[in-house]
Structure formats: structure tokens, C-alpha cells
Amino acid sequence: MPAVLFRSDNDSSDEWRAALTKRIPDLDFRVWPEVGDPSDIEFALVWKVPAGAFDGLPNLKAVCSLGQGVDHLFADPDFPKTPHILRIVDPWMGRAMAEWVLLQVLRFHRQGPEYEQFQRERRWIKLPAPETATRRVGILGLGALGTEAATTIAALGFDVAGWSRTAKGIANVTSYAGPDALDAFLARTDILCCMLPLTPETTDLINADLLAKLPKGAFVVNSGRGAQLVEDDLLAALDSGHIAGAALDVFRVEPLPGDHPFWVHPKVQVWPHVSAQTNAESGADQVAENIRRIFAGHPPFNTVDPDRKY
Ligand code: NAP
Ligand code: GLV
């Protein structure tokens, strides 16, 4: 039987070996750097491999990201052109992301940062009660994750819209599509939540220009990718008061360097890229099925378009 090569410094090879061999008992599962005969490897299961990591695997047919995002694969200038590029699309991760985004939306909506400050000052102060139906939440990216987050937030009665490349028909979520609709989407967004994939089009998207198009006092939540946000532009917008607060799960450099101003900024909450973590047990059914298909020469699913890069 052909072999699977696993390489990640973020995911447990023991957990993935156990989850996959439970589903394919005779699976030949190899962990980098124990490649064995490189011509055996037909399927690679990877997270953030160094450039050139796929060199010397002559029979590689598919590379599967150990996550929903695939930007780390396209970051390799030598990434092989021929194999199928696959990703995990896991409803368990969708639920986790929806929970995390909802947590941020509710914290900002219910004046969490203000009450946290009042507590530090031992002050008993009541602010006016906020109105859910008029709080406008805007979701950048209405894919597997953004759709789950948008419907979860809409179910609580918020005024929810989403921005995507193509128009969507999601109940209780107003659809804005394409670059021409972005300004109108931003103008009606009080809490901006990003779940876009990182591509050339979305790199640096959340910059000074975009932030200025949000209403004064808006909040920014980013769980897409760090390179979508120009961090200095966000800091300037927070310091000017135009943006009232930010909750960030992803950063341009991860782990976030110890001297980064986000760590101590009073209007920023830092999370260590945990909003939707890959889960071997919930993701293994689909990965095992794709391994079976690739080994049998059948077309896989959860494929990524190499031109669109997501
Ligand atoms: P997805 O299903 O591929 O959805 C991507 C969405 O973004 C789609 O709605 C797509 O529009 C839209 N989009 C892409 N490029 C666009 C552009 N240039 N303009 C407007 N809309 C654009 O991806 P997903 O599974 O939801 O995951 C999204 C991202 O979340 C991942 O790529 C990853 O970066 C991030 N993520 C983060 C974590 C974490 O823990 N922080 C965990 C998992 C994933 P169309 O639908 O019209 O194509
Ligand atoms: C995590 O960031 C993922 O892309 O799954």
C-alpha cells in the first residue's frame, strides 16, 4: 500500500496516527523526517512545512492541510503544481469558530471592556443597556466558518451582514459581494469580524483606508489570518478613538513577539490562535476518506482551487 507522510509542529502525530489507523487499520503512516522510501509517499498531511519540503517525493498525489486554511501551502514558492491540494472542512471547527466570534461580539455589545475597567477601579457604574436588533455585525468571508458564525449571531437577533466574493442567500444575513460592495458593507458595520482566507487579494485588506470606512466606535475581530490586518494602522485607529476595541486571534508573526504593543494595549484582547483548533478525532473521517480515494485513484473532495488560493 502507498504511504502517508505527516509533518506538523502544531498537531500531534500520535493523535493523527491513532485516529487514521482506527479508520484504515493497515495504513502506512510515516512521520517526518522518517520518510523511508520517498517513492511510497502518495499523500502528505501537513501544517506549515518549510519551503522545498515536498522535493524528492516523486509519487506525491495530494497534499492536505491540517486545518481549514491553506495559505501556508501557497507560501512555499516550490509548492508542487501537480498534486491535489486538500483541506479540512470540519463542522466541529465551524462550531468552535462560531462560539469564539460570538464571545467577542457579545463582549463588545454588552460593554465588557468598560465594565472590566470599572471593576479594576472598584466603581459601581451602570451604562445604558445596548439594543441587539440595532447592533450591526459584519462578517468578512461567508465560507464554512463565516456562515456558521453569521447564522449563530443572527439567531440572537443581531443585524448581520456578510461580505464574500460571490453573493449568498443565507437566512437573516444580508449579502454583500465583491469589491464594489465593500464600502457599503463597512458603512453599516459596528462589529467587524474577519474569517477570510489569506490570498493576494485579502493580504493587508484591513488597513487604514478600510478602518476609516467603519463607523466611529466600531470594533474589529480577526480570526482569519494575521497578514490581513495592517497592525500599525489598527493601533493608530485605536489610539485616535475611531476604533473602540479589537479582539485578535491571529497575527502577522506567531507567536506574537513579547515586545509587541498589542500585548499591553488597553483596547486589544490577544488570543493565541485558538478560535478553531484542528481536532484529529473530528477531522479524521474526511481525511481517511480522501486517503482512500487518492490511493484508489479516485477524485478527492475538500479540494482547493490553486488559482483562487482558497
Ligand atoms: P472558505 O470556506 O474557503 O470561505 C472563504 C470565504 O471567504 C468565502 O465566502 C469566500 O467567498 C470569501 N473570500 C475569499 N476571498 C475573497 C475576496 N477576495 N473577497 C471577498 N470574499 C472573499 O474558508 P473557511 O473554511 O471559512 O476558512 C476561512 C479562513 O479562516 C481560513 O482560510 C483560515 O485562514 C481561517 N481560519 C482560522 C482559524 C483560527 O483558529 N483562527 C481556524 C480555521 C480557519 P466565496 O464564498 O464567494 O468564494
Ligand atoms: C487554522 O488556523 C486553520 O486554518 O485551520
Side-chain angles (χ1 to χ4, degrees), residues 47 66-69 93 225 273 276 278:
W47 183 255
L66 272 160
Q68 302 224 163
M93 291 175 73
R225 282 289 183 265
H273 200 145
T278 299

Side-chain angles (χ1 to χ4, degrees), residues 52-287:
F54 302 105
D55 292 351
L57 302 175
N59 296 319
L60 186 65
K61 292 184 180 149
V63 177
C64 180
S65 171
L66 272 160
Q68 302 224 163
V70 290
D71 47 290
H72 60 101
L73 298 177
F74 293 111
D76 177 356
D78 299 325
F79 188 71
K81 298 283 179 287
T82 43
H84 296 285
I85 304 167
L86 311 177
R87 69 186 188 115
I88 290 173
V89 184
D90 184 356
W92 187 94
M93 291 175 73
R95 193 90 296 268
M97 181 61 83
E99 280 173 10
W100 186 85
V101 176
L102 178 63
L103 176 65
Q104 310 316 324
V105 166
L106 288 177
R107 176 171 174 267
F108 289 133
H109 173 63
R110 293 302 304 261
Q111 302 130 325
E114 289 94 326
Y115 286 116
E116 290 157 18
Q117 181 60 30
F118 296 158
Q119 178 174 354
R120 281 192 287 274
E121 297 167 356
R122 299 173 185 237
R123 298 164 75 203
W124 184 273
I125 294 178
K126 298 188 190 206
L127 298 172
E131 184 55 58
T132 310
T134 56
R135 182 76 78 175
R136 300 163 301 174
V137 179
I139 308 286
L140 287 171
L142 285 176
L145 300 179
T147 298
E148 182 77 13
T151 51
T152 299
I153 294 162
L156 287 185
F158 287 96
D159 178 358
V160 181
W163 182 72
S164 45
R165 201 176 43 82
T166 57
K168 308 291 177 201
I170 305 168
N172 302 318
V173 178
T174 307
S175 170
Y176 290 79
D180 293 347
L182 183 57
D183 287 4
F185 164 83
L186 295 170
R188 55 73 59 209
T189 291
D190 301 315
I191 305 179
L192 181 73
C193 306
C194 177
M195 276 155 280
L196 286 166
L198 183 64
T199 67
E201 288 76 34
T202 65
T203 300
D204 296 335
L205 181 76
I206 307 175
N207 56 24
D209 192 40
L210 180 146
L211 294 170
K213 291 172 180 164
L214 291 167
K216 183 170 166 50
F219 301 96
V220 173
V221 177
N222 190 17
S223 52
R225 282 289 183 265
Q228 289 157 350
L229 172 68
V230 180
E231 295 177 343
D232 285 344
D233 289 0
L234 176 64
L235 285 166
L238 287 165
D239 293 344
S240 77
H242 182 68
I243 297 298
L248 307 174
D249 184 52
V250 287
F251 303 89
R252 296 188 91 92
V253 177
E254 296 182 7
L256 187 65
D259 60 354
H260 197 290
F262 283 159
W263 282 116
V264 292
H265 199 291
K267 295 181 183 171
V268 177
Q269 204 176 60
V270 169
W271 292 71
H273 200 145
V274 289
S275 52
Q277 301 190 67
T278 299
N279 179 325
E281 195 45 45
S282 65
D285 278 341
Q286 57 183 275
V287 174

